[in-house]
Amino acid sequence: MSSEVAEWVRTDFGLDMTTMDAVTHGADRYAQLWRARAVDGTRYAVKLSGGGTSAGLAVSAYLAGQGVPGVAAPLRTRDGRLWADRDGRRLTVVPWVSDTRALDAPMTVAHWRSYGEVLAAVHAVPVTDELVRLLPRGGSAYPRIVAATRAVARRLRDPAPDPVATDLAAVWSAAADRVSLLTRAVERLAVDQPPGTPVVCHGDPHLGNLLLGPDGQVWLIDWDDAVLAPPECDLMFVTGGVLAFAPVTAEQREAVLGGYGGTEPDPKRLAWFLAVRALDDLSDWTRQALDPGADEAERAFARRIVRGLVSANGLVTLAEAALRDLARR
């Protein structure tokens, strides 16, 4: 496959690749990624994407053109497009900016501050008519997410005779009151929360999508989930971290918000986006774990994610804490 993709890159982008090394980390089931090296030694991220839309490519190209730091612009094809159509998927080429993910190496205070500076620069760009046309509104899918959560809960009340389903049924039963709290809060706050001004948001700026460089430099990658939303849609990722195995400490949060400009997220919008994301992740990863046709390793990974979501550092717990804080206010 890599040799075929290398030939497509040569034909579509005019680049001759000498190596194509598969990259296996990441949660996108519809994408394949390679770390490629061209004949002049320059390295690139070559990606075949089968899901989502091309909007993220347009966004990252626009942000880089606006001088936003930490955003690598996709290369254009010979005929000026941001991607090539190959095998029913999008073929893209982006400069390979770093080998180091924030999940894999300690972040310095300078890295955390730069993280906030990049988010602030993204949120400050003008929202064009083209972006309004291309990008969905952040959180607009909450009715579908709530419905999916309730459907999974009903499914697990009478689980299939399968060890994974039995285990997940126990997990959901233990968390049932918390999940119900989140679903009710999402529906209530969708009507009751202040609207906020929509800005360009990455939509998924967790540490797995952050690359580290020297002297505190960072790059925000993978813009496939870009949306128009209030800043809290992104800032929820730095209030405590949405990854149970990589919580954000109070000191790290302070550094990010210092780089961002010291603005505190609106507590009502923050709690709402946290709760929506928690329900979306919980229902989606549970469905993946329950899929009997999926690879056993993938099912086991999904089950670990579900357990992490309801753990002490998990996103369900973070959302619940944000809602409790909101009630105290």
Side-chain angles (χ1 to χ4, degrees):
M1 182 66 177
S2 61
S3 60
E4 185 178 23
V5 173
E7 179 60 25
W8 291 343
V9 170
R10 186 189 67 79
T11 301
D12 296 330
F13 292 88
L15 293 171
D16 289 316
M17 299 301 183
T18 59
T19 61
M20 295 272 293
D21 299 319
V23 178
T24 56
H25 58 66
D28 188 346
R29 294 170 289 165
Y30 306 105
Q32 291 175 278
L33 178 66
W34 292 267
R35 181 176 55 245
R37 186 182 297 274
V39 292
D40 65 356
T42 304
R43 297 191 300 166
Y44 297 95
V46 176
K47 187 175 182 180
L48 270 177
S49 301
T53 71
S54 60
L57 296 168
V59 170
S60 57
Y62 172 67
L63 294 174
Q66 291 286 307
V68 173
V71 180
L75 273 64
R76 292 188 178 270
T77 62
R78 290 179 186 268
D79 57 1
R81 294 181 299 146
L82 293 171
W83 73 93
D85 297 305
R86 289 289 183 177
D87 195 29
R89 292 181 286 178
R90 291 183 303 277
L91 175 66
T92 57
V93 180
V94 180
W96 187 276
V97 293
S98 172
D99 290 320
T100 307
R101 293 192 305 163
L103 284 178
D104 301 329
M107 288 177 65
T108 65
V109 172
H111 283 129
W112 286 104
R113 186 174 183 85
S114 294
Y115 185 14
E117 291 170 351
V118 169
L119 289 177
V122 170
H123 296 167
V125 299
V127 176
T128 65
D129 291 341
E130 177 71 0
L131 291 176
V132 172
R133 184 183 69 82
L134 286 175
L135 296 181
R137 289 299 180 109
S140 61
Y142 83 87
R144 174 190 60 77
I145 292 167
V146 168
T149 302
R150 287 174 171 150
V152 172
R154 289 193 298 270
R155 179 178 177 183
L156 288 174
R157 291 192 193 111
D158 185 21
D162 170 82
V164 173
T166 301
D167 177 61
L168 290 175
V171 171
W172 274 69
S173 178
D177 290 343
R178 303 164 65 198
V179 174
S180 294
L181 170 68
L182 265 57
T183 53
R184 292 194 302 270
V186 163
E187 292 177 316
R188 183 182 73 253
L189 292 176
V191 177
D192 193 36
Q193 67 173 319
T197 302
V199 299
V200 176
C201 286
H202 180 279
D204 200 27
H206 58 69
L207 300 185
N209 285 329
L210 194 70
L211 302 180
L212 307 183
D215 303 320
Q217 188 174 13
V218 300
W219 290 271
L220 195 52
I221 62 170
D222 196 351
W223 290 84
D224 292 347
D225 294 317
V227 293
L228 292 179
E232 286 78 11
C233 182
D234 279 346
L235 293 178
M236 70 171 173
F237 287 81
V238 301
T239 58
V242 302
L243 303 176
F245 55 87
V248 176
T249 68
E251 293 77 16
Q252 291 163 347
R253 176 184 185 275
E254 182 179 356
V256 177
L257 293 181
Y260 189 80
T263 303
E264 284 288 332
D266 178 87
K268 189 172 287 189
R269 288 196 294 268
L270 181 68
W272 187 76
F273 277 111
L274 279 166
V276 170
R277 176 65 184 237
L279 295 179
D280 194 18
D281 280 3
L282 187 64
S283 60
D284 186 55
W285 285 108
T286 300
R287 285 196 302 270
Q288 292 184 50
L290 291 172
D291 182 3
D295 179 81
E296 285 304 315
E298 293 178 351
R299 295 186 72 190
F301 176 75
R303 182 166 59 167
R304 289 197 298 273
I305 295 294
V306 171
R307 285 189 166 277
L309 287 166
V310 299
S311 69
N313 292 324
L315 188 50
V316 169
T317 304
L318 290 176
E320 190 180 18
L323 290 169
R324 285 200 304 269
D325 181 63
L326 189 63
R328 283 194 296 269
R329 290 170 182 263

